[in-house]
Amino acid sequence: MTLDLRSADPGRPLPHALPDPEIHGLPRDFVWGAATSAYQIEGAVDIDGRTPSIWDTFSHTPGAVENDDHGDVACDHYHRMPDDVRLLAGLGLDAYRFSLSWPRVQPGGRGPANAKGLDFYDRLVDELLAKDITPWATLYHWDLPQELEDVGGWPERDTAYRFADYAELVAGRLGDRVRHWITLNEPFCSAILGYQIGCHAPGRKDFGAAVRAVHHLHLGHGLAVQRIRSVVPAPVQAGITFNPSQVYAASDAPENIDAARRADGMGLRLYLDPVLRGQYPQDVLADLAQLGVDVPVEAGDLDVIAQPLDFLGINYYLSDVVAAGDEPGRTVRIPQPDRPVTAMGWEIHPQGLTDLLTRISRDYPALPIYLTENGAAFDDSAYDVSAEGRIEDVDRTAYLADHLAAAGRAREAGADVRGFFAWSLMDNFEWAYGYAKRFGIVHVDYATQRRTPKQSALWLRDAAQATRKR
Ligand code: IFM
């Protein structure tokens, strides 16, 4: 069958040949994986004792999500998990990064574990291990129990302690088999998109609350690492995943250099400095103070937050060129028209990944880095479908190849990058965009729940194989 063959971006020529699966600079023991998150794929939102999360509430708020989509069914992974693990195994990947739904494991966010909820993840881990796939568990990928939001959510300090209790429940049960733990996914998104901009759950628009959320997410991370280490037998690998953007100043003009400093401060250093250096960046605190906002640090917090880690997770999608805006202290993003964009409108810039990884390993040394997410949404209906029914997603394949090559270049420049998780294993609920955007390397037909590996998935399989044979 042939569909209308158009590039997702009409201005961009389609690549003609598949990228070479031999990626320069990646070692034989590089970890190849794919990632998902609970609310985006599981569905089964009111089954086996699960209570609502802030994303259930938000997605059922009319107008909050494109097309009023929600995660009630999503990819129905809760019921199809063994098949999905078989699919993963068929792609020959080493590792699978998934997240646990907090309100499935601990309904309401307090008290004892919900046995049925925890059993689901227990079975998932066993299925993965039986197929030689290493589980990488993320404890929090944005689905705060609604009851905790009702008493203030992340802007309240108590949420950090609730998160630590939940972390201990999960790690205590799975820690005999799960070695790799990620406390938080992209705290920037939880705090800024959720509490300042309001385009993500819980949909609040309060900058002060967002900054308080940042600090309590950090605190929750540090407490959770302590709890994980207290219940998981060695050797445990504990880390956190951030999504910093690589920021460039639009010019050497001092006001643009300062705009880049501010953007880098709010997007990268506000997160990496407390967690990896045990201090907030002074210039960012000063910028915040000028806006009348304080970070609610209490005595001893930074020691808790800066727990020694075993790895750093980085999610990379885009970089930003910024300039000073018209009002003092305002930063504006300058679009780069020569860069192609994904279906999200995100500019494609693999060199930004090389620059980001090189910079992080220079400024925050001695920590192995894993790319815990990278990938792209494209309009799959624009591609050819092969005789076997596979989607020839040339743009996504090229995107993955270019970013893996960028990671290889960063390694050659000294960055200790050890693995790559494609976002995402399968098309899923893309938050405020609902099902309109497809990031999967496996296509999901939402009407039938049929999964079909796209060309990008098979290319990733071949790239992993080629690297292992070195
Ligand atoms: O889908 C998200 C994921 O949940 C977190 N990182 C970015 C992805 C694409 O937007």
Side-chain angles (χ1 to χ4, degrees), residues 47 121 259:
I47 285 178
Y121 299 105

Side-chain angles (χ1 to χ4, degrees), residues 5 46 271 319 344 358 449 469:
L5 181 61
D46 53 5
Y271 300 87
S319 58
M344 301 292 281
T358 318
Q449 292 293 348
K469 277 200 207 112

